[in-house]
């Protein structure tokens, strides 16, 4: 009987769990890692990006995004939309072609792969015969022309991929017609380019690598015209009137050929080397577009003088007398131009450039060709992300102030709406305003609107101005000197080079109610900032916190403290620093918490922790946690873990540098790099050979870095007796210790004068000595204590102070609940002892039920070192659900994970992309969008495009 | 009380004040005086209430012997044999007993008449458990890390395990012991060997777990680690049953092996062993886990002003960093039930016993 009842309860609990929890990876924010191909559909107003890992991503208007992944682990080399259709074709590195479509399902479009195809040549033919080098999606929508390395053009019927063998344009057919005077019998080489005549779809232009271009008539299956260019061909463009062909070449020249008329041999009208005299690099792509009145726009990628600017990544835009060489910070993948008008055949309106690290859109209709800020695909990694912090449900007031501070920073952007307008965003408006803050290596903190599908940049805070660094702030790269040739203009924001790594942001804490923000960095600096709508000039005074507290025999061998500017600094509107604490030794800050109601900030490093009163600007408490026998820490401050991290980062830098230098000195360094690679491989092989051993020993108090402070927590609770609650500070260390201090705050009217005091109240040494990663006090109802000021703003129920509180200590190995004020173990949940995984990240979340709005539960969201996500119930510390999420080898992904208060989270899947996931069944943010084949009538296309475009403007 | 004495057929009986006895050394000298053998090296033993022969070689087991006098205590004294110098030290009590019983006895007599030390009198450092439920090819070993400063002393590595399945021989990844640290707990038990495959950690299958996971599981359970291994040397496993051959230079495993060895089929003896271990593990597990050290404010030194002045070496000021090993053992089950001895003395004596590395019981 008893068992039966229990069974019933269990099944009911299972049902509740299903209503509360559900795991989904919902959307990827940021810029795709290693993009390799770009495609654009003017009719759908969608752009497509293929990546080296085989992903294909489609973007339309803000919020309209789709993602697909090829089964083959091969790079996407080309993406082509079929004209006026919802299909697109991708070509992969492995020579396979894939057909994708956007299929509407329950009112929402899905990106699906519907077919694949690989060219098969005649038996015995070398693979180059069928190796695809050029693809033309014919405007008829049912033909695909595939040019190959062997020089043949295969014609394939789509979407079914049926080869039309009889219509293939073999190299032999073409060679026979080549005029005798064109270089004799030498091979024409591969098909470099295929272009359709804009006014006669039956004619296609075949450009061969050697330079020869042939206009082929698909109906008569014969050559109409030969264009006898002799330079290695890079790209071909057929002007819109069909009268001219532009060809660009490997020597940095481009030629204009007249093709109108029936003359079988066309005449070269003009040949130019735009950056001439000295040898130039190839012009890899050329586009010319007419304007209604006046001269056309000409777009050239590359062509820079080899010796002096061969390392630049440039696209030159030439219109009338204006000539600008847009200078990008990373390699150009591809570009296209968006045109106005119902059929997208009007004035060029925007240039869209995909470079290796970002997408840059240039407004061509505004004076000065400003950049249009992208609503998605934002390079999160402008400077490497070092930490992140999420704040849910931002009050409207703060939101607007941050937005307006951000708006002042974005005045150099174009006012025009985002030009890509495809699809309809059907996702419901996000229920609340969420902020994601990312800290970067260059000392900046970026504020992102993380409420919806688009991670939109709101505001950027720079902390570098407080300190004296090597960089010159007046050094403006955008200012090209007058009359400089080529006329460079820097565009894009990707800049991975930090002037001073000590500026790197390591911890962030924002109080959304008061607008106080604290950030802490690599060199032990802790800044307290407040939001000011006006610019202000002020001096930031530094307070030093000596965390060693007289501990002798310790010599810091790491970096020095940052030097603070002594003169007043002008801070723009936004978050302005007003207080600074500098830890001594200046080790990286490992824990940071702000209590805006008490006006206290607490911080920790590997040496100890401190409590700072930012109203009176003094240290209340400094506590050394360093074990005097910690040899490693005594020898030098860099932990082995840290130094591994450091060496990893350095090696990444090296790779990055070598990549850059590889591009710089293409030829010279190739051999050197090869050597380096070989050496690395040998090293790796050696590492493989050495057997990996793991020592089995209990953790010892003498282990290194036991004193490293992992977590800090403020709580108003019963720390000394069960009748009076008082403010308290809790600190947890790597060695499994918890230190609790009772805080005495003066009454409000004396807060400015009387000192805040801290008295040691408790110490807990967990027997298993695993690092303490989280501390939480649960109120009389077993709910986590609310955030500071949350109750004051009527946004949370006041905590229950009648029942007894309990203390939850989360170590890497287990969750343990203790009673308060007398600390004795109440219950626990073991993790490591049971399954060998350890807690890496933990957060407190509220899970709402999908069934009723009024039911919900608090829980802990946990990410383990195995990459699994767990939800642990509160206050009972029972494991509720478990989902695999991240590969366990992806250490940086696991380390980057941040949880929201509503059961969602983010982690980095590459240096530039956040994956968003949800553990909550109710709270899910995912793209929902519909793409339909645009009707051919202009009246329906245009109005649809406008509201979408308007939605670019944010709240 | 009076005492009996046996020495080359010499019997003596004398009285001793229970309260006025000194330590073991004093008693030893007393016996030498009583028997007029001042320069002869002897080994002492006594018969406890269960009739088991137990050694007297330090203060603690001497007090234990005294406390079990009821009121008579039978003391057996034997001359230390030069050819067999470590009879007692190796803890081969059963052999000692058999020597007494039969004076050059026949081998087969040892089996039924096996006698082992009482568990309470020794501190366990390891045990083989659950022999009745495990396949013969597997061995479940418990390592007791409590209160010792000795490292567990072993390393593990990835490897390939060969399993026989109905489909044939299958190679699967496994985790193996790669190294034993000399003088470590693992080596001194003789129960674990290099290349033993690790199958379970504290009852949890490690199949499909990574080396790091297994490492973390073992570390998390290190205070009461139970590993189930498939010994690399299965032959050795069988030979151990003969009770003669011991692994390594340390014969401690011999005694353990012999204990098990007589139970080719599960016998009441082995049942009771495993039962004992199981019940023990529950109690021990709890005490293990709640062994967190908690210092409340009344113990903490009161620092009048804010603790900025809280000088150097907080660890020196607070007993927080004091080793757990110096604390009384949480397992009261291992302490003599008489309760007449103070905890600290017991633990120190156990410390010394452990450091000998010789005295191991089930």
């Amino acid at each position: 009987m008893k068992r039966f009842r229990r069974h019933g309860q269990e099944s009911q609990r299972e049902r509740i769990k299903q209503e509360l929890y559900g795991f989904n990876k919902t959307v990827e924010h940021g810029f795709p890692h290693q993009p390799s191909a770009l495609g654009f559909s003017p009719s759908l107003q969608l752009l497509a990006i293929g990546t080296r890992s085989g992903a294909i991503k489609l973007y339309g208007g803000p919020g309209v995004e789709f993602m697909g992944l090829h089964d083959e682990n091969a790079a996407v080399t080309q993406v082509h939309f079929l004209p006026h259709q919802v299909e697109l074709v991708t070509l992969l590195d492995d020579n396979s072609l894939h057909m994708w479509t956007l299929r509407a399902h329950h009112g929402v479009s899905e990106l699906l792969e519907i077919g694949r195809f690989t060219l098969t040549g005649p038996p015995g033919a070398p693979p180059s015969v069928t190796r695809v080098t050029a693809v033309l999606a014919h405007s008829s929508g049912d033909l695909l022309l595939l040019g190959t390395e062997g020089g043949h053009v295969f014609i394939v019927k789509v979407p079914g991929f049926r080869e039309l063998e009889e219509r293939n344009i073999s190299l032999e057919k073409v060679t026979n017609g080549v005029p005798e005077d064109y270089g004799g019998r030498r091979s024409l080489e591969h098909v470099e380019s295929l272009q359709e005549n804009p006014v006669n779809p039956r004619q296609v232009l075949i450009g061969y690598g050697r330079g020869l271009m042939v206009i082929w008539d698909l109906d008569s299956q014969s050559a109409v015209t030969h264009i006898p260019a002799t330079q290695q061909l890079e790209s071909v463009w057929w002007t819109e009137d069909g009268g001219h062909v532009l060809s660009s070449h490997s020597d940095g020249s481009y030629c204009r050929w007249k093709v109108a008329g029936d003359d079988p041999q066309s005449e070269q009208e003009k040949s130019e080397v735009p950056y001439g005299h000295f040898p130039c690099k190839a012009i890899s792509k050329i586009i010319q577009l007419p304007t209604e009145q006046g001269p056309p726009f000409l777009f050239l990628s590359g062509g820079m003088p080899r010796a002096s600017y061969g390392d630049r990544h440039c696209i030159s835009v030439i219109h009338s007398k204006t000539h600008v060489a847009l200078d990008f910070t990373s390699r150009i993948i591809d570009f296209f131009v968006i045109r106005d008008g119902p059929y997208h055949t009007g004035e060029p309106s925007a240039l869209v450039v995909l470079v290796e690290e970002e997408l840059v859109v240039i407004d061509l209709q505004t004076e000065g060709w400003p950049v249009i800020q992208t609503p998605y695909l934002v390079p999160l990694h402008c400077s490497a992300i070092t930490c992140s912090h999420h704040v849910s449900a931002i009050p409207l007031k703060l939101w607007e102030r941050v937005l307006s501070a951000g708006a002042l920073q974005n005045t150099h952007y174009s006012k025009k709406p985002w030009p890509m307008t495809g699809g309809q965003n059907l996702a419901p408006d996000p229920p609340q305003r969420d902020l994601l803050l990312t800290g970067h290596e260059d000392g900046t903190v970026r504020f992102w609107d993380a409420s919806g599908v688009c991670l939109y940049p709101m505001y950027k805070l720079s902390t570098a101005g407080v300190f004296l660094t090597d960089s010159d702030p007046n050094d403006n790269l955008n200012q090209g000197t007058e009359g400089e040739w080529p006329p460079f203009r820097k565009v894009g924001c990707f800049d991975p080079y930090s002037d001073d790594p000590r500026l790197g942001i390591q911890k962030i804490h924002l109080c959304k109610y008061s607008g106080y923000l604290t950030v802490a960095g690599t060199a032990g600096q802790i800044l307290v900032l407040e939001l000011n709508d006006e610019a202000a000039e002020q001096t930031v005074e530094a307070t030093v916190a000596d965390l060693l507290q007289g501990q002798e025999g310790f010599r810091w061998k790491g970096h020095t403290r940052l030097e603070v500017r002594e003169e007043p600094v002008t801070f723009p509107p936004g978050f302005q620093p007003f207080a600074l604490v500098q830890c001594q030794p200046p080790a990286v800050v490992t824990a940071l918490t702000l209590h805006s109601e008490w006006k206290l900030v607490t911080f920790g490093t590997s040496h100890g922790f401190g409590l700072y009163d930012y109203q009176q600007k003094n240290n209340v408490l400094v506590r050394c946690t360093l074990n005097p026998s910690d040899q490693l820490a005594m020898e030098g401050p860099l932990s082995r873990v840290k130094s591994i991290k450091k060496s990893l980062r350095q090696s990444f830098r090296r790779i990055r540098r070598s990549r850059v230098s590889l591009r710089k000195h293409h030829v010279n360094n190739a051999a050197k790099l090869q050597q380096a690679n070989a050496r690395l491989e040998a090293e790796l092989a050696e590492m493989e050979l050495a057997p990996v051993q793991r020592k089995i020993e209990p953790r010892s108090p003498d282990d290194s870095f036991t004193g490293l402070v992992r977590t800090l927590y403020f709580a108003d609770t019963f720390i000394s007796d069960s009748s009076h609650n008082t403010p308290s500070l809790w600190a947890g260390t790597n060695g499994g210790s918890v230190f609790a201090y009772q805080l005495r705050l003066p009454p409000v009217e004396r807060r400015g004068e009387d000192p805040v005091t801290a008295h040691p109240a408790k110490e807990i040494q967990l027997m298993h000595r695993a690092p303490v990663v989280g501390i939480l006090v649960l109120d009389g109802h077993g709910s986590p204590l609310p955030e500071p000021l949350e109750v004051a703003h009527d946004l949370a129920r006041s905590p229950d102070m009648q029942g007894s509180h309990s203390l939850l200590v989360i170590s890497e190995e287990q969750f343990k609940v203790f009673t308060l004020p007398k600390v004795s173990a109440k219950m626990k949940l073991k993790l490591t002892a049971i399954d060998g995984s350890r807690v890496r990240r933990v957060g407190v979340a509220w899970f709402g039920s999908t069934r009723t709005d009024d039911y919900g539960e608090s829980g802990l969201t946990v990410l383990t070192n195995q990459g699994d996500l767990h939800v642990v119930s509160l206050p009972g510390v029972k494991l509720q659900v478990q989902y695999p999420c991240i590969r366990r080898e992806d250490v940086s992904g696991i380390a980057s994970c941040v949880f929201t208060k509503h059961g969602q989270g983010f982690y980095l899947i590459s240096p530039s992309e956040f994956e968003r996931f949800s553990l909550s069944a109710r709270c899910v943010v995912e793209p929902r969008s519909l793409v339909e084949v645009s009707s051919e009538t202009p009246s329906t296309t245009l109005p649809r495009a406008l509201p979408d475009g308007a939605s670019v403007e944010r709240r | 009380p009076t005492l009996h004495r046996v020495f080359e057929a010499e019997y003596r009986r004398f009285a001793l004040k229970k309260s006025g006895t000194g330590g073991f050394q004093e008693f030893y000298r007393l016996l030498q005086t009583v028997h007029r053998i001042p320069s002869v090296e002897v080994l002492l033993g006594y018969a406890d209430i269960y009739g088991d022969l137990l050694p007297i070689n330090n203060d603690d087991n001497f007090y234990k012997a005294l406390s079990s006098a009821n009121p008579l205590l039978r003391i057996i004294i034997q001359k230390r044999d030069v050819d067999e110098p470590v009879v007692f030290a190796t803890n081969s009590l059963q052999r000692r007993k058999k020597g007494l019983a039969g004076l050059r006895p026949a081998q087969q007599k040892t089996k039924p008449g096996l006698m082992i030390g009482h568990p309470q009198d020794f501190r366990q450092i390891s045990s083989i458990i659950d022999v009745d439920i495990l396949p013969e090819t597997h061995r479940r070993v418990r390592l007791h890390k409590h209160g010792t400063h000795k490292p567990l002393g072993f390393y593990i590595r990835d490897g390939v395990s060969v399993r026989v399945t109905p489909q044939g021989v299958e190679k699967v990844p496994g985790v193996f012991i790669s190294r034993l640290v000399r003088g470590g707990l693992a080596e001194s038990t003789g129960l674990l060997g290099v290349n033993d495959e690790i199958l379970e950690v504290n009852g949890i299958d490690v199949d499909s777990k990574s080396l790091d996971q297994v490492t973390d599981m073992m570390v998390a359970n290190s205070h009461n680690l139970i590993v189930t291994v498939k010994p690399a040397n299965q032959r050795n496993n069988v030979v151990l049953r003969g009770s003669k051959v011991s692994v390594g230079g340390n014969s401690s495993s011999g005694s353990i092996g012999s204990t098990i060895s007589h139970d080719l089929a599960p016998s009441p003896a082995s049942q009771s062993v495993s039962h004992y271990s199981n019940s023990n593990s529950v109690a021990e597990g709890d005490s293990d886990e709640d062994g967190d050290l908690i210092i409340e404010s009344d113990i903490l030194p009161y620092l009048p002003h804010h603790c900025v002045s809280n000088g150097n070496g907080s660890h020196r000021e607070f007993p927080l960093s004091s080793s757990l090993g110096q604390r009384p053992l949480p397992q009261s089950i291992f302490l003599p039930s008489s309760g007449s001895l103070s905890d600290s003395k017991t633990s120190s004596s156990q410390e010394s016993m452990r450091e000998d590395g010789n005295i191991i019981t089930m």
Side-chain angles (χ1 to χ4, degrees), chain A residues 80-126:
Chain A
H80 298 271
F81 282 92
L82 301 190
H84 314 294
Q85 299 187 34
V86 287
E87 275 83 36
L88 67 151
V89 174
T90 56
L91 172 66
L92 302 194
D93 218 9
D94 66 357
N95 206 35
S96 61
L97 287 151
H98 300 257
M99 182 66 66
W100 297 80
T101 192
L102 286 164
R103 188 168 291 161
H105 181 69
H106 296 304
V108 177
S109 296
E110 293 172 333
L111 181 63
L112 295 171
E113 187 182 347
I114 51 168
R116 60 183 65 194
F117 171 71
T118 305
L119 268 183
T120 47

Side-chain angles (χ1 to χ4, degrees), chain A residues 800-813:
Chain A
D800 176 72
M801 290 303 197
Q802 306 305 315
S804 55
H805 285 196
S806 44
L807 171 73
L808 171 60
V809 176
I810 302 148
S811 78
E812 282 191 358
E813 291 189 353

Side-chain angles (χ1 to χ4, degrees), chain A residues 549 693-694 697 762 838, chain B residues 153 178 212 216 292 296 308:
Chain A
Q549 292 288 294
Q693 281 196 122
R694 293 281 182 275
E697 280 313 326
K762 292 180 193 307
R838 296 214 305 261
Chain B
S178 62
D212 286 333
D216 287 341
D292 304 331
E296 299 282 352
V308 179

Side-chain angles (χ1 to χ4, degrees), chain A residues 160-180:
Chain A
F161 286 121
R162 188 163 58 80
E163 280 186 76
L164 303 174
E165 269 174 53
E166 69 288 353
R167 295 174 67 180
N168 288 349
I169 309 162
S170 73
L171 189 59
E172 293 72 35
K173 279 192 208 168
V174 174
T175 315
N176 293 338
V178 173
E180 280 301 316

Side-chain angles (χ1 to χ4, degrees), chain A residues 575-856:
Chain A
F575 286 93
Q576 297 170 349
F578 67 92
L580 168 67
V581 183
Q582 290 190 286
C583 295
Q584 188 60 33
V588 55
V589 175
T590 53
L592 180 72
T593 301
L594 170 87
H595 199 296
S596 46
E597 201 170 342
W598 302 340
K599 305 208 179 307
L600 297 172
V601 165
T602 178
F603 51 89
T605 72
S606 50
H607 307 113
F609 60 94
L611 180 64
Y612 178 76
D613 174 359
Y614 64 78
Q615 179 155 6
Q616 296 184 26
K617 298 193 179 173
N618 58 16
N619 286 329
V620 176
L621 160 78
V622 178
R623 169 73 192 259
C624 180
T625 52
L626 190 69
N627 181 349
S629 64
D630 189 341
Q631 282 308 312
L632 207 58
M634 298 301 271
E635 278 167 20
L638 288 173
S639 81
R640 215 170 289 169
V641 180
K642 252 188 288 170
S643 58
I644 285 170
K645 235 195 231 167
K646 198 182 162 198
S647 66
L648 272 180
R649 199 175 310 143
Q650 273 169 348
S651 60
F652 276 128
R653 274 214 194 102
R654 240 189 336 265
I655 290 167
R656 216 148 50 183
R657 223 176 286 141
S658 71
R659 242 192 248 154
V660 170
S661 63
L662 182 69
R663 266 173 253 137
K664 269 184 189 163
H665 321 284
H666 210 284
V667 190
N668 305 353
N669 273 3
K672 219 182 248 177
L673 191 82
Q674 234 166 20
Q675 271 177 10
N677 280 348
R679 203 164 51 229
L680 187 75
E681 260 168 47
E683 272 171 22
L684 282 176
E686 220 164 86
M687 273 163 68
E688 301 265 300
L689 284 177
V692 182
Q693 281 196 122
R694 293 281 182 275
K695 189 178 185 175
I696 307 298
E697 280 313 326
R699 298 168 196 272
S700 141
D702 294 329
D703 285 348
S704 291
F705 293 93
T706 50
L708 189 141
V709 177
R710 291 290 294 265
T711 184
L712 290 159
Y713 179 67
F714 284 113
D716 186 0
T717 186
F718 302 93
I719 192 165
S720 53
D721 68 273
S722 50
S723 47
H724 300 96
N725 54 304
T726 57
S728 62
L729 166 67
W730 300 78
T733 73
N734 230 13
S737 303
V738 175
F739 302 93
Y741 282 80
Q742 183 175 344
L743 306 179
R744 292 214 181 109
L745 299 165
V748 181
E749 61 278 10
R750 305 278 306 157
R751 180 64 182 81
E753 300 90 50
D754 292 357
V756 178
T757 58
H759 306 284
K762 292 180 193 307
E763 293 186 10
I764 303 167
Q765 174 61 61
L766 298 177
M767 189 178 179
H768 61 281
R769 293 189 183 276
V772 177
V773 293
I775 297 172
L776 192 63
V777 170
L778 306 172
D779 72 4
H781 295 305
S783 309
L785 293 186
E787 284 175 63
L789 292 176
E790 202 171 8
V791 176
H793 284 73
D794 282 335
L795 287 155
R797 202 183 49 183
S798 347
D800 176 72
M801 290 303 197
Q802 306 305 315
S804 55
H805 285 196
S806 44
L807 171 73
L808 171 60
V809 176
I810 302 148
S811 78
E812 282 191 358
E813 291 189 353
Q814 54 179 255
F815 306 79
K816 196 155 186 179
V817 181
F818 297 91
T819 57
L820 279 179
K822 169 105 181 64
V823 175
S824 62
K826 211 158 122 187
M827 55 188 148
K828 63 171 174 281
L829 171 67
K830 288 202 218 174
L831 187 70
T832 314
I834 306 302
D835 71 354
S837 62
R838 296 214 305 261
V839 177
R840 272 280 172 274
R841 292 272 160 182
V842 64
V844 181
W846 173 259
F847 291 93
S849 166
T850 48
R851 192 172 46 90
T852 59
D853 277 349
D854 52 359
Y855 183 77

Side-chain angles (χ1 to χ4, degrees), chain B residues 50-67:
Chain B
Y50 305 100
D52 292 339
L53 180 69
L54 298 173
I56 300 178
N57 50 16
N58 60 31
D59 285 355
D60 290 302
N61 50 22
F62 170 57
Y63 290 130
K64 177 70 192 157
L66 284 190
S67 69

Side-chain angles (χ1 to χ4, degrees), chain A residues 18 81 94 192 247 301 418 441 446 459 543 587 685 766 782 788 842:
Chain A
Q18 281 175 10
F81 282 92
D94 66 357
E192 178 63 50
S247 63
S301 129
W418 182 243
E441 207 178 21
R446 280 157 217 259
Y459 167 74
T543 308
L766 298 177
V842 64

